[in-house]
Each structure stands twice: as C-alpha cells, then as structure tokens.
Amino acid sequence: MSRKRWRAVKEIRIADVARLAGVSTATVSRVLSDPEKVRKKTHDLVMEAVRRSGYIPNSTAQKLRMRRTMNVLVIAPRLTNPVFAEILRGVDDELTQSGYGIIIGNLDNRREREARYVDLALSRQVDGVLLLTGYIPENDTRNMRESGLPIVALCAAIHEDGIPNVVVQDREATRQAVEYLARLGHRRFGYISGTLSSIIEVERFAGFQEGIAAAGFTQGDFVRWEGPFVFSTGVAAAEAFLQMKDRPTAIFAACDESAIGFIKRVRAERVRVPQDVSVIGFDGIEFADYTEPTLTTFRQPLHELGRVGADVLLRLIHREMRPEDWNIRLPLTLLERETTGPVLHKDYKSLRRSAL
Amino acid sequence: MSRKRWRAVKEIRIADVARLAGVSTATVSRVLSDPEKVRKKTHDLVMEAVRRSGYIPNSTAQKLRMRRTMNVLVIAPRLTNPVFAEILRGVDDELTQSGYGIIIGNLDNRREREARYVDLALSRQVDGVLLLTGYIPENDTRNMRESGLPIVALCAAIHEDGIPNVVVQDREATRQAVEYLARLGHRRFGYISGTLSSIIEVERFAGFQEGIAAAGFTQGDFVRWEGPFVFSTGVAAAEAFLQMKDRPTAIFAACDESAIGFIKRVRAERVRVPQDVSVIGFDGIEFADYTEPTLTTFRQPLHELGRVGADVLLRLIHREMRPEDWNIRLPLTLLERETTGPVLHKDYKSLRRSAL
DNA sequence: ACACAAGATGTAATCGATTACAAAAATCGA
DNA sequence: TCGATTTTTGTAATCGATTACATCTTGTGT
C-alpha cells in the first residue's frame, strides 16, 4: 500500500520564503498584502522567491491573526428546492465577488439540524449568517442572535431587533392572487399551504385571508390543505380535492411545486385545468414554464433576493449599515400563464355530475 | 447611529475559563477534548466555568493548531441543476455526520470560475475536494491535483493517477438507451448532448455510438445537437428538429432538462410524444415524474453517489484508503414511463405529409 | 559633509487553541 | 510513614501568519 504517492507535499511557510529571499517574514508579508510599502527591488526579490517556492499563505493562520474568516454561513431549509438554489446563486454572486466563501447549512426540512449550524456559527467559523429558513425563532437560534454575530434573514421576516430582513412582499402578492382569482369569477377557493410552523406560511396565509376578506368572502368560502413545500403536498391536496363534492374552482398554492403536484394529480382524473379548476402558484421556478399547461404564478425575484441579502450582510459585517437598510421588501411579478381562467359554471357542473 | 447594539460581545478565551476555574489552559483543553484524562472533580469545576462563561472554543485557532480545517470544498457546475443539488444532499448527509463542513464552489457553468476555488483549496482552507464538475482537466486544476490534497471526482471519470472516481455507469446506460429505442423499432435517432468539453459528455456520447453500432446502425443514422445541461438546449434542439424533413423518431437527451425542453417545444407544434417521437432522458430528476407525459429516463443514484463520494473522500483524508476503493461505478435504473413507445410509421408519415 | 526627515526593514508580540514534557499530587504496598 | 509508581496538572512551545514598534537606510537641504 503505497501511501506516499498522495501524501501532502512539504508545506512552504512564510519563513521559508523569507529565508530564500534573504529578508524577514514581515517584509514578505508586506510584499504580499501591501506592495506599496516595500522598495521595488525588495519586492521583486520576494516575488521571485514566492514564485520559485510556490508559496501560498496558509489561510487558517491569516484568519486567526486577522480575526475574520472571510466565510459566511447560509442556512437553507432544503437544497433541492429550486427556490433556495436560486437564492443561493444570488448570494454566491455577491459574496464571491467580495472574496467571501460560503459554508452551507442544509436543514433538509428537519429543523433539529439547526443546532449543528448554530454551533458552527458560535465557534466563529464564519463572519456572518444568512438565514433562508422561515422558521419561527426558537431558543436554538437565540444564542446565535444574541452573540452579536451579523445575521440577515431572507425569505421570512424575523421581527426581531438587530436582524435586518430582506424579503419579498409575499403577503401583498398572496392577497393579490386571491383578488385576481375573484375577478375571474371564482367563489370557492382552495389554499395549499406550507408547513404551519414557518413564518413564510404565516405571512402568506395572512395575505390570503386579507384577500378573501377584501373580495367579500368568509372563512367558509375556502379550504386549506397543509404540508411542506414539496410536490407531494400538492398531490395530497389533490386527493382531498377529488373527494370533495363541492369542489373549489380556484386553488392558490403557496409554492410552485405543490401547484405542479396538484395539477398533475387532478389531471390524471380528467379534471381540466383551468376549465374545471384554476391554479395559481407562488415562486416562479423555471420548471413552472415547462409544465402543461404552463403555470400561472407569482415570480419571486430570487436571484436579486440573494444578492441584496448578501450585500446587506456584508455591510453589517463591515459595520457600514445604515438604519434605512434594515428592512427591504422586494416586489413580486404575476406571471399570467395557462393554469388560470374564468369560472365555467356549466362545464364544471357537468363534470361533477359525470363523476357521481 | 447606535453601533454598539450589534457589536460582537466580548469573546471568551480558554484562558478566561482557566482563570475562572482556577486551573491551567491545558486542563481546560483536556476537559473539553478528552474528559477521561482529568479527575472528576476538576472536570466538574471546569465544566461549571465553561457553562457560566458560555465559552465556545475558537475553531480557527483549533484548525491552525491541529492542522486540519474540518471543511471540504465541493465544486459544482451549477447549483440550480437538480442533479447537483441532489448529489450535494448526499454529500452533506455523509459529511455533517462526520463533523465536516461544506464550502461550496459554484461555477455557474462558467469554467473560469474554477481558478478561485483552486486558490481556496491551495490555501488550505479545506481538507479535501469533491469535484462534481465534468470538465476535462486543465492546467488550472493541475496544481490542485499535484498539491497532494485529497480529491475525489464524482460525475466524471478523471483518468488520472491519485484521483479516485465515484461515477455512474453512464456509458453503459447510454448504450442501453439506444438499444432500447432500437428494440422499439426506431431507425433514425437524435442525440441531445451536453457541453462538448465535459468528460460526462464524452462518456455518454461514446456509449451512444456503441449503442448505434451494436444495433447495426451507422453515423448517418443519427443527428447530434449540442449545448449545456439546461432546458433551453432541448428547446434549441427541438427547433432544429422541427426544421428537418426526415425527422428522427427517437431522441436521447443526455439530461432530463434538455429532454423536457425538447418535448415542451415540439408539442407546441402538435408533434405527439411518444406517437410521433419517442424521448428518453437521463438523470431521473424528481420533476421528470411531473411532466406530461411523464418522462422515460435513466435514474442516477444521485444521493448515493454523493454519500459514497464523500465517504471515499473522508477515507482519503484519514489515510485509510485501500486500492480497491479507487474506482466505484454505480448502476443506473431505466424508468420506463410515457415518452417512449414503438414507432408508428403510418402516423408519422401522415404527420410529415401534413407538415409539408 | 552633516543633520534630520522620510522610508524601508527587522524584531518580537500576538491571534487562541493543543500538547510534549516537566512537575506535582495521589495511590499503593511494605 | 516512606518511597516507588501512577495519575493529574502546569509550563511553555507550537501552529503560521500579521503588525506595532524599533532600528537601520536612504534621501534632502544647507
């Protein structure tokens, strides 16, 4: 078993370079970090030694000495959700530009995994935290928030002192969604929610109820189905929908995946979308434009959300935050596509009769 | 502007705890890392001091002293591709279990971004690298590979000494795909590739050609369209397809997203799938089960790929790699769904006539 | 050529932990 | 109780950089 093939090669330290160039370590360090501070001749001498030795500074030593890690922790509920992937892209664009690295904290929809990342943050492995989770704050994360570590919440307004929020106007958008469906003539609604313990859900449901009230309806005019932000939640909602005798004619899904799952399932039972039931999603993921029919949905400015969130976090880290930056709420865009349309009472009734 | 609200609280060092407990820093360190080595009484004393002070070790100092970062770099071509998200999940499951963190390197399909991450690796910010990219190795990454840093290649066989590969049997699967289509009676094929500079593509195309040969066809019996692993590649291929007068009756797409893009586009022109053209994808992403019709595809064991890859990397890091672990090739599963079927010559011809 | 200011470089402390080695304390048998 | 042995604890070096301060060079004006 030949181990030595892949043993690390001898590591070159700054002292080695200094010796090679015949200068002190301080000079080498200066050449590398602030070339203006050394004479041209010395500079060239050192650079030659750096080149010949292949020296690369040990970043851990730098981090320790400079007291910053140049890393940011991004805690996301689930990596395979395109929404978070897209936000992460925005975050990445902004952070790598500033030389920061991203450590990912994937909860995989299991909240108890938060603890691990709280530890990571508290042990100063990162200079700041970006919270993409929409969980309602609990003791777990309290330490983190109290530690003074810069934190920015994306995706969910954590109404707490010292934590800036960069979020979308989901409440307003959800409300508009209901109003839009009401304008199309719908009277009975279905609401496919997210996990009840998430702030996102609280916001969106509040917006939904506002919309219901604004359009002159009551609690009795809609049904609510609950589950995490995944396809199967929509499928489950569809099963329940199919059992109903007085089916809603319009469905609002709090995420595109649920909407897609719902549509797939009801179409398998010959329920037509949008003739028999209109469906509107939320998120605007890329897939939503490739389903059949294409999904009407509210597009979140995901990439921008990530960029802006990262920017705010960097400002927090660099202590250049101004009060007016505290809270940012980005607008959504309604993408009117094929899954919504006016109620067709006749069609709907005949379908219902044939299903009996 | 009240800065102090979010200034970091005073940091507690091991020396503070030692003073509080009336012991030396060495003892505190021992209590925390190896409790067996200290007397029960001292242990309790120290733990009480730790508790009271809220001490958490500074991980950067630990990293420097212990000469390992407990971090792994994962370089992925594109975060929003569900394939990589899913692999990443597997990686994450394995690594967090072992206490390792993940730093992500997102190339966003732009290869020049590799350099940044090579630097990151070379400056010893991580203990190992997981390469999800399928790029053919170049000078950029050579340094990294020569540095002795543990590297494992997933997704693409980098045939180089010292780099274990954990990959899927894409060559075999692609070949089987062609044979499967040939068995259904197809004679003219379309091949929607990935980016030509990727090893993945080289492997899959080789498998495709093997399949073509094995089924008794020649180079003249298929067309090839090229582009990255995204929806729009499939759309572009569809545009080209629609212009052809002797259209292929079976399409192999080297990724599900292309396949879906293709289907969406041709259906818009009333081309029926699978009656007019059969389509088979590659990857088995979750969404492929929610399209209409549902996509026939080869499912990659993505989560397992991630887990196994991470496991191999950890073994490499811990120097407990055995030669038989060098190369692992996981099998794929054919998911026969609705986008493939036997050729229907009559239908096809009539369609073609009407399109003239 | 000299005094003095400005600029370049070196010395050594520092960041905050771990750990080899030395020293002290506890345990044990006679 | 004493000395030998074992166990526990403390001292100080170490990981590899950065940087305040001291010291040495260089340049400038007279």
Side-chain angles (χ1 to χ4, degrees), chain B residues 277-322:
Chain B
V277 60
S278 282
V279 179
I280 183 166
F282 200 98
D283 286 344
I285 60 177
E286 200 184 2
F287 188 65
D289 207 11
Y290 289 90
T291 54
E292 212 163 289
T294 54
L295 185 69
T296 296
T297 186
F298 272 92
R299 189 213 305 277
Q300 296 197 49
L302 297 171
H303 189 266
E304 192 190 353
L305 197 64
R307 278 196 79 104
V308 173
D311 177 61
V312 169
L313 182 62
L314 288 180
R315 299 237 285 284
L316 215 51
I317 291 172
H318 299 137
R319 310 232 128 85
E320 53 194 41
M321 193 76 185
R322 288 164 315 158

Side-chain angles (χ1 to χ4, degrees), chain A residues 24 26-27 30 38-39 42 65 67:
Chain A
S24 74
T27 299
R30 277 188 283 253
V38 309
R39 244 202 340 233
T42 323
R65 176 60 224 233
R67 321 184 97 244

Side-chain angles (χ1 to χ4, degrees), chain A residues 6-61:
Chain A
W6 44 273
R7 275 214 53 113
V9 296
K10 185 182 167 298
E11 313 250 308
I12 294 120
R13 303 184 315 293
I14 196 172
D16 301 321
V17 178
R19 194 171 332 103
L20 208 64
V23 298
S24 74
T25 62
T27 299
V28 176
S29 175
R30 277 188 283 253
V31 167
L32 262 28
S33 61
D34 194 359
E36 308 301 301
K37 289 257 176 259
V38 309
R39 244 202 340 233
K40 175 97 173 47
K41 209 175 121 185
T42 323
H43 173 269
D44 295 347
L45 207 64
V46 170
M47 284 314 283
E48 176 62 13
V50 167
R51 210 190 47 68
R52 290 211 351 249
S53 62
Y55 169 69
I56 292 173
N58 179 314
S59 64
T60 304

Side-chain angles (χ1 to χ4, degrees), chain A residues 35-321:
Chain A
E36 308 301 301
K37 289 257 176 259
V38 309
R39 244 202 340 233
K40 175 97 173 47
K41 209 175 121 185
T42 323
H43 173 269
D44 295 347
L45 207 64
V46 170
M47 284 314 283
E48 176 62 13
V50 167
R51 210 190 47 68
R52 290 211 351 249
S53 62
Y55 169 69
I56 292 173
N58 179 314
S59 64
T60 304
Q62 290 179 315
K63 287 178 205 295
L64 176 59
R65 176 60 224 233
M66 309 189 68
R67 321 184 97 244
R68 56 189 174 139
T69 64
M70 296 301 281
N71 276 145
V72 160
L73 173 64
V74 180
I75 302 185
R78 191 164 65 91
L79 286 180
T80 42
N81 185 327
V83 171
F84 299 114
E86 188 63 32
I87 295 177
L88 203 51
R89 254 193 72 226
V91 170
D92 182 57
D93 282 351
E94 186 72 30
L95 289 185
T96 55
Q97 209 165 38
S98 314
Y100 278 78
I102 296 179
I103 295 185
I104 65 150
N106 172 33
L107 300 187
D108 232 18
N109 276 350
R110 278 174 290 153
R111 189 169 183 180
E112 65 275 17
R113 292 178 57 153
E114 258 181 0
R116 186 198 311 276
Y117 299 109
V118 172
D119 287 352
L120 193 146
L122 257 27
S123 66
R124 278 144 290 177
Q125 290 201 50
V126 293
D127 297 337
V129 179
L130 228 32
L131 234 37
L132 307 197
T133 63
Y135 294 124
I136 294 163
E138 258 181 17
N139 288 335
D140 271 355
T141 48
R142 173 135 306 145
N143 299 337
M144 190 166 77
R145 301 198 309 283
E146 285 176 352
S147 73
L149 192 72
I151 302 179
V152 172
L154 296 188
C155 264
I158 296 186
H159 300 295
E160 245 177 87
D161 211 29
I163 301 192
N165 295 155
V166 179
V167 300
V168 295
Q169 301 172 348
D170 29 15
R171 189 168 184 148
E172 292 82 342
T174 310
R175 179 194 164 123
Q176 284 165 36
V178 179
E179 291 173 347
Y180 165 73
L181 293 171
R183 269 201 308 281
L184 289 171
H186 296 278
R187 310 246 159 285
R188 288 193 307 289
F189 304 88
Y191 174 90
I192 308 180
S193 83
T195 313
L196 296 185
S197 63
S198 96
I199 299 188
I200 303 181
E201 172 52 28
V202 172
E203 285 288 310
R204 293 190 191 162
F205 189 56
F208 182 82
Q209 285 183 300
E210 280 176 25
I212 287 288
F217 297 109
T218 69
Q219 298 284 321
D221 295 319
F222 69 87
V223 281
R224 182 190 199 187
W225 299 291
E226 185 235 332
F229 288 143
V230 296
F231 287 112
S232 58
T233 297
V235 174
E239 311 275 7
F241 169 89
L242 291 165
Q243 298 302 319
M244 294 176 70
K245 50 183 211 299
D246 247 4
R247 294 177 182 163
T249 62
I251 307 290
F252 170 86
C255 85
D256 283 349
E257 284 175 280
S258 307
I260 292 166
F262 179 91
I263 294 166
K264 179 77 193 169
R265 184 69 188 85
V266 299
R267 273 168 65 102
E269 303 295 329
R270 312 225 172 288
V271 173
R272 294 165 304 160
V273 179
Q275 294 89 337
D276 301 328
V277 61
S278 282
V279 179
I280 183 166
F282 200 100
D283 285 344
I285 62 177
E286 204 181 359
F287 279 145
D289 206 12
Y290 289 90
T291 54
E292 213 162 291
T294 53
L295 185 68
T296 295
T297 187
F298 272 92
R299 190 215 303 279
Q300 296 197 49
L302 297 172
H303 190 265
E304 194 191 351
L305 197 64
R307 278 196 79 105
V308 174
D311 176 60
V312 169
L313 182 62
L314 289 180
R315 298 238 286 283
L316 216 51
I317 291 173
H318 299 137
R319 310 233 129 86
E320 52 194 41
M321 192 76 185

Side-chain angles (χ1 to χ4, degrees), chain B residues 118-137:
Chain B
V118 171
D119 287 352
L120 193 146
L122 257 27
S123 66
R124 278 144 291 177
Q125 290 201 50
V126 293
D127 297 337
V129 179
L130 228 32
L131 233 39
L132 307 198
T133 64
Y135 294 123
I136 294 163

Side-chain angles (χ1 to χ4, degrees), chain B residues 4 15 28 76 123 139 142 199 230 237 265 274 288 292 295 301 317 340:
Chain B
K4 73 167 159 327
V28 176
S123 66
N139 289 335
R142 173 135 307 143
I199 300 188
V230 296
R265 184 70 189 84
E292 212 163 289
L295 185 69
I317 291 172
T340 44

Side-chain angles (χ1 to χ4, degrees), chain B residues 23-24 26-27 30 38-39 42 64-65 67:
Chain B
V23 298
S24 73
T27 300
R30 276 187 284 254
V38 309
R39 241 200 345 229
T42 323
L64 176 59
R65 176 59 224 236
R67 322 182 99 248

